Amino acid sequence: METQRQKKIGGVIQKDIADVLQRAATDGGLRGTLISVSKVLVTTDLSIAKVYVSIFPTKDAEELLKGMKSNQPLIKHELAQRTKNQLRRMPELMFFLDDSLEYIDGIEKSLKGKDNPIDNPDLLEKRKKA
């Protein structure tokens, strides 16, 4: 269960890091790439912030995630400059790819396509009685 302090710090980091990452992508020549921060989870001791990033188009996602991880000190410094009046110490940033949109898209495609288990129950494995 997250405390109010964790939620507040997560919200501050989420808002500012989304702006930092999007500006870095456009300055780096990736004009058609959309980077959004879907969630930020902060540990109870406020030392680590897990940043879940959603990248569109997804073909460049792994490459951009590697770039974020390698430039983590620079991103942390830029974020610390923006939040210096709100946070005393900046937590360590850990970046993760949020693929929930792809997962939802896969479910929708399977329900609309030929592989719909509701229309064709033979696609599902038969349950064995214990």
Side-chain angles (χ1 to χ4, degrees):
M1 185 76 186
E2 271 189 322
T3 63
Q4 281 299 111
R5 180 86 175 136
Q6 286 173 288
K7 289 178 186 176
K8 189 179 278 189
I9 290 174
V12 167
I13 291 173
Q14 182 177 2
K15 180 178 153 291
D16 288 334
I17 202 166
D19 189 38
V20 169
L21 292 176
Q22 189 63 46
R23 181 164 296 150
T26 55
D27 291 347
L30 299 171
R31 293 245 181 244
T33 304
L34 178 68
I35 300 174
S36 64
V37 178
S38 56
K39 190 166 195 167
V40 175
L41 297 175
V42 182
T43 57
T44 54
D45 62 351
L46 307 177
S47 64
I48 298 172
K50 295 180 180 179
V51 180
Y52 292 90
V53 181
S54 180
I55 301 170
F56 186 79
T58 56
K59 62 181 173 71
D60 303 329
E62 290 295 327
E63 182 182 331
L64 283 173
L65 188 65
K66 285 180 186 175
M68 285 180 215
K69 287 180 179 179
S70 65
N71 290 324
Q72 187 262 351
L74 295 172
I75 295 170
K76 181 180 174 183
H77 178 72
E78 177 69 27
L79 193 60
Q81 293 300 314
R82 288 173 177 250
T83 61
K84 64 184 173 186
N85 295 330
Q86 297 163 329
L87 298 176
R88 185 177 298 159
R89 291 188 60 216
M90 177 57 59
E92 286 296 317
L93 301 174
M94 297 175 67
F95 293 100
F96 298 97
L97 193 60
D98 183 19
D99 59 350
S100 59
L101 293 176
E102 292 175 34
Y103 181 73
I104 292 169
D105 190 42
I107 290 173
E108 286 181 2
K109 283 182 181 177
S110 67
L111 288 175
K112 290 179 182 176
K114 296 182 237 174
D115 301 335
N116 188 346
I118 296 172
D119 294 338
N120 188 1
D122 295 332
L123 293 172
L124 297 173
E125 294 180 21
K126 299 292 181 190
R127 293 186 198 172
K128 295 180 182 177
K129 294 183 180 177

